[in-house]
Amino acid sequence: GNSVTQMEGPVTLSEEAFLTINCTYTATGYPSLFWYVQYPGEGLQLLLKATKADDKGSNKGFEATYRKETTSFHLEKGSVQVSDSAVYFCALSDGRTDSWGKLQFGAGTQVVVTP
Amino acid sequence: NAGVMQNPRHLVRRRGQEARLRCSPMKGHSHVYWYRQLPEEGLKFMVYLQKENIIDESGMPKERFSAEFPKEGPSILRIQQVVRGDSAAYFCASSPPGVANEKLFFGSGTQLSVL
């Protein structure tokens, strides 16, 4: 079956540091890939997505590129802020239009940014 | 425009009691998904509902768990005879009809604690 593996946290960084969170997946067919972010006490929010190979999703300074050859979708940000402290989830859907909301999530990576 | 509303935020039950979790989707959204997040794990899909229909319940435990999304009112996730292993955060997400932009809108979750 489909699965998502992401690096364990917590990841602790200083403000303005470079952030990378690794995510790899196993899936058949043509999945869509997502990064969701969960701020303390809140629900998950879609951060970015990519629906086909070589697509790059980007939002709020975050980027991730859909790499089919390495089955990866690593999240990056060049200069983090304290407000980026949150838990980040990598997820995939199987790409079928009738089940796109049925997501497979990774375990989440907590990111802590210190001033 | 209110987001996805879940209540209660925290629910404490003793073993053997029933738990009812409510989810009001965003206005205009007719699709609801329930996910469960066990400690230190990612979110796991439970069930996908449209108004008055269960579309996919492949993630629901076979016993004690049920879900509904009536024509009027919120979606309800019901857990009968709760056990300690049911302690988790339960998240609801909604989406409008159709694939749209493949974006799920999540509520803030209900934290269920079973004593």
Side-chain angles (χ1 to χ4, degrees):
Chain A
N2 296 343
S3 67
V4 175
T5 302
Q6 61 182 104
M7 62 188 286
E8 290 187 19
V11 173
T12 303
L13 303 162
S14 297
E15 207 164 20
E16 298 183 1
F18 185 86
L19 170 68
T20 298
I21 304 176
N22 290 339
C23 171
T24 57
Y25 68 90
T26 302
T28 56
Y30 304 95
S32 293
L33 300 173
F34 306 84
W35 277 100
Y36 276 82
V37 58
Q38 183 180 28
Y39 298 104
E42 299 183 11
L44 281 71
Q45 303 174 26
L46 179 65
L47 182 59
L48 53 83
K49 68 172 186 178
T51 57
K52 61 182 186 295
D54 299 325
D55 268 2
K56 177 186 283 188
S58 60
N59 185 26
K60 299 181 181 180
F62 290 88
E63 292 184 343
T65 301
Y66 187 165
R67 302 285 188 200
K68 195 168 177 66
E69 64 276 12
T70 54
T71 60
S72 65
F73 192 55
H74 305 322
L75 182 69
E76 297 181 336
K77 185 174 185 182
S79 178
V80 294
Q81 305 299 313
V82 173
S83 57
D84 293 324
S85 298
V87 181
Y88 293 81
F89 292 92
C90 185
L92 70 79
S93 71
D94 63 11
R96 289 169 43 188
T97 56
D98 61 345
S99 63
W100 67 264
K102 181 179 176 182
L103 300 178
Q104 186 80 34
F105 281 91
T109 302
Q110 184 177 13
V111 172
V112 178
V113 181
T114 57
Chain B
N1 185 15
V4 177
M5 303 301 292
Q6 288 189 250
N7 66 81
R9 287 296 301 270
H10 301 276
L11 181 61
V12 179
R13 286 286 178 266
R14 296 190 181 279
R15 282 179 295 169
Q17 291 184 319
E18 178 180 286
R20 279 179 180 254
L21 288 63
R22 294 176 184 77
C23 169
S24 296
M26 288 182 69
K27 187 176 181 180
H29 288 194
S30 56
H31 297 198
V32 166
Y33 302 80
W34 285 94
Y35 285 82
R36 176 166 64 174
Q37 183 178 27
L38 294 169
E40 308 302 324
E41 295 187 17
L43 281 74
K44 305 290 186 189
F45 167 81
M46 299 182 75
V47 62
Y48 163 36
L49 310 107
Q50 295 177 17
K51 285 282 188 181
E52 300 185 278
N53 285 303
I54 297 175
I55 306 302
D56 183 338
E57 56 182 348
S58 58
M60 288 276 272
K62 294 290 185 283
E63 298 179 348
R64 301 188 297 107
F65 284 71
S66 62
E68 62 177 12
F69 188 18
K71 186 176 180 181
E72 302 291 338
S75 175
I76 306 289
L77 179 67
R78 181 183 179 202
I79 311 172
Q80 295 178 290
Q81 299 175 317
V82 296
V83 301
R84 289 221 172 103
D86 297 332
S87 296
Y90 292 83
F91 289 94
C92 167
S94 73
S95 71
V99 177
N101 59 359
E102 291 188 280
K103 182 176 179 179
L104 286 180
F105 294 81
F106 281 83
S108 298
T110 293
Q111 181 65 51
L112 173 65
S113 298
V114 179
L115 304 179

